[in-house]
Amino acid sequence: MNIIDRMESNVRSYCRSFPVTFKTAKDHLIIDERGKAYIDFFAGAGSLNYGHNNETLKNALIEYISGDGITHALDMTTVAKKRLLQSMQDVLFAPRGMEYKVMFPGPTGTNAVESALKLARKVTGRRNVISFTNGFHGMTLGSLAITGNSGKRAGAGVSLHDTTHMPFCDYFDAETDTIAMIENYLEDNSSGIDKPAAFILETVQAEGGVNVASKEWLQRIAELAKASGALLILDDIQVGCGRTGPFFSFEFAGIEPDIICLSKSFSGYGLPLSVALMKPEFDAFKPGEHNGTFRGHNPAFVTAASAIETYWRDDRLSKEVHEKARIIKDAFLEMADRYDGSVRGRGMIQGIEFPDKTLAGKISKSAFNRGLIVETAGPNDEVLKVLPPLTIDLDALKEGLRIITEAIHENLRPEISTKVVMSAKS
């Protein structure tokens, strides 16, 4: 790691939590340069839903590159782009009765969010955007303005404005009606809140601590956005592409967002790619009004089309996700019951939190020493977040959960033993 310590910026983070040099990866495993294998419950922060070097996607990519397929084309028309759009129409949109225009704004999730914000403001003529507590939407200035985390926001170095942060579902407790609270603010012309151009939200706040929005809450937010003349932007960057079961995380609620942001696992292979999907009536940008040099990332078009065609023509993967989600949740509930923890999540994004907010980081470290990569989430990294590839086999999934269970025991049993000894002495 000497070359890393000497040359790479202090801003690096994940390599500090997982301080080895990785060399190869396949499916749910990452192997370091010494040959030690780690089960991956991180999946590139949700960018590798189909695992590392997925064989089907890899073969499609190799064939494309070997045939001198276009790599870079700005937004010019290519065979790869046409195939991706056709796959989206045939496999994602038509079966769901969805009609959206597709914008390629740039290669990362924050590009999709920035374009969605600009478009909503252009369409409505308003500036204010309502976002939610603990939301995370990216690291560029517009995305940071609608992000809740104070540490991330502080990195901007400038004022972040034209946004209002409102309480997410169950932010206070399960009984507090946060929708009614927001309605009161918007109806009161003395509340100090400008009429919004858009509401932007995640159905599961991944980085924010695996906070889950209920079906009713999402439906009421969609109704409120429409009633207030605002657009509903759904940030499905981390929990879309099958992470919660269906391809889109909002499908269970029966809502129709005006704009949908996708990235991370949309390319299927870990290649940078993002899209903003908009209802046709909101396709208001003039040619070139929003652009980017790398919005035409054709190798990612190839793997994205292959992923859609391979995994989403039927509901087999969705059923697998639900089956594996039950296994994860059962393991977490057992640990939560034993050690006074709390569990939340949907599909194959699950989190567990204990009263001691420092435990998640300690458990992650212990798990890594045992051969498992699992990260933390939440404002203070207080939630252990499980995010394995959707395609992980059951034996590997159970082995990873066994390692987490051991890591939890290691970090909590000493405390319990101490309490027993103290009780005996008294």
Side-chain angles (χ1 to χ4, degrees), residues 44-62:
S47 297
L48 297 164
N49 281 4
Y50 315 107
H52 295 268
N53 288 301
N54 179 287
E55 201 67 18
T56 300
L57 309 189
K58 181 174 71 174
N59 288 338
L61 181 59
I62 290 173

Side-chain angles (χ1 to χ4, degrees), residues 317-337:
L317 183 58
S318 291
K319 288 179 178 178
E320 285 183 27
V321 170
H322 292 311
E323 177 187 357
K324 293 168 185 175
R326 284 193 294 270
I327 294 171
I328 298 169
K329 179 148 284 186
D330 286 347
F332 271 15
L333 287 173
E334 182 180 346
M335 289 298 98
D337 183 60

Side-chain angles (χ1 to χ4, degrees), residues 65 67 70 73 107 127 177 190 213 239 288 299 301 330-331 415:
I65 294 172
I70 299 291
R127 295 171 59 180
D177 189 343
S190 293
V239 298
F301 295 167
D330 286 347
E415 177 185 337

